């Protein structure tokens, strides 16, 4: 990913093909795969200016999925491990917004807005049972949700988070 586009390898990295159809001149920043990618071939791509894109055919064609987003500068994307049932896709933007989709990227709603720069978004390895989402920002600032994005708490480095 990056300024040169998106590439895919089907042979362990020996050969690569460009898969930018539908992306135009978008600069990619992050990628998130469906946990069932082998069956559904669904993948999301975040871009620095154009928002997230979705492919349902392994990257052969991309379409924008930005309905409801108030910021398109994508720095974090995550797909729920239970996306077939809950439809959840999470997106963090550079300017301090976290969005959630409950319809596999069809539309997004704001989950939280913070007055800081975000850099990454990750789901807990136990997301199905603990509903935990971490969003990291500048200057070692983090926010966390333990209820699937319904509410958010600030976490300071060095704070006991047990």
């Amino acid at each position: 990913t990056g300024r040169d586009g998106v590439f895919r390898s089907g042979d362990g990295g020996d050969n690569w093909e460009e898969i930018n159809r539908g992306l135009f001149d978008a600069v990619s920043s992050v990628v998130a795969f469906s946990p069932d990618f082998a069956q559904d071939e669904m993948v999301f791509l975040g871009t620095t200016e154009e928002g997230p894109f979705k492919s349902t055919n392994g990257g052969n064609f991309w379409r924008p999925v930005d309905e409801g987003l108030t910021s398109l500068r994508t720095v974090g994307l995550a797909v729920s491990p239970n996306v077939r049932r809950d439809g959840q896709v999470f997106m963090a933007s550079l300017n301090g917004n976290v969005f959630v989709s409950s319809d596999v990227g069809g539309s997004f709603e704001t989950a939280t807005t913070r007055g800081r720069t975000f850099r990454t978004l990750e789901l807990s390895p136990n997301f199905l049972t603990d509903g935990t989402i971490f969003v990291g920002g500048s200057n070692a600032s983090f926010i966390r949700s333990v209820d699937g994005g319904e509410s958010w708490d600030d976490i300071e480095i060095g704070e006991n988070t047990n």
Side-chain angles (χ1 to χ4, degrees):
T1 65
R3 291 195 185 282
D4 294 327
V6 180
F7 294 83
R8 171 179 60 201
S9 174
D11 59 7
D14 289 336
N15 296 288
W16 293 87
E17 66 176 312
E18 192 172 348
I19 53 169
N20 294 322
R21 192 165 158 226
L23 292 177
F24 313 106
D25 292 326
V27 177
S28 55
S29 58
V30 64
V31 65
F33 291 90
S34 163
D36 300 315
F37 179 79
Q39 288 79 36
D40 63 23
E41 295 189 313
M42 184 170 51
V43 59
F44 290 84
L45 177 76
T47 66
T48 59
E49 299 290 334
E50 305 298 323
F53 287 76
K54 177 182 176 181
S55 174
T56 55
N57 57 13
N60 290 325
F61 182 79
W62 299 92
R63 67 177 177 81
V65 287
D66 56 11
E67 184 179 323
L69 296 176
T70 57
S71 175
L72 299 178
R73 298 187 73 182
T74 311
V75 295
L77 280 171
V79 179
S80 167
N82 199 24
V83 70
R84 275 199 231 179
R85 288 203 174 128
D86 62 26
Q88 290 185 318
V89 178
F90 300 91
M91 183 258 203
S93 70
L94 182 67
N95 70 340
N97 295 302
V98 178
F99 302 96
V100 62
S101 172
S102 296
D103 57 4
V104 198
S107 62
F108 287 85
E109 293 182 4
T110 302
T112 190
T113 299
R114 303 292 169 127
R116 65 180 71 135
T117 301
F118 287 146
R119 300 286 183 206
T120 188
L121 179 147
E122 298 294 333
L123 300 182
S124 160
N126 297 318
F127 180 77
L128 286 177
T129 56
D130 65 20
T132 301
I133 307 165
F134 292 95
V135 181
S138 302
N139 302 320
S141 63
F142 293 87
I143 62 171
R144 172 185 64 188
S145 173
V146 294
D147 55 12
E150 295 294 320
S151 62
W152 297 85
D153 297 309
D154 292 305
I155 299 175
E156 300 299 325
I157 297 298
E159 177 182 339
N160 184 353
T161 57
N162 293 331

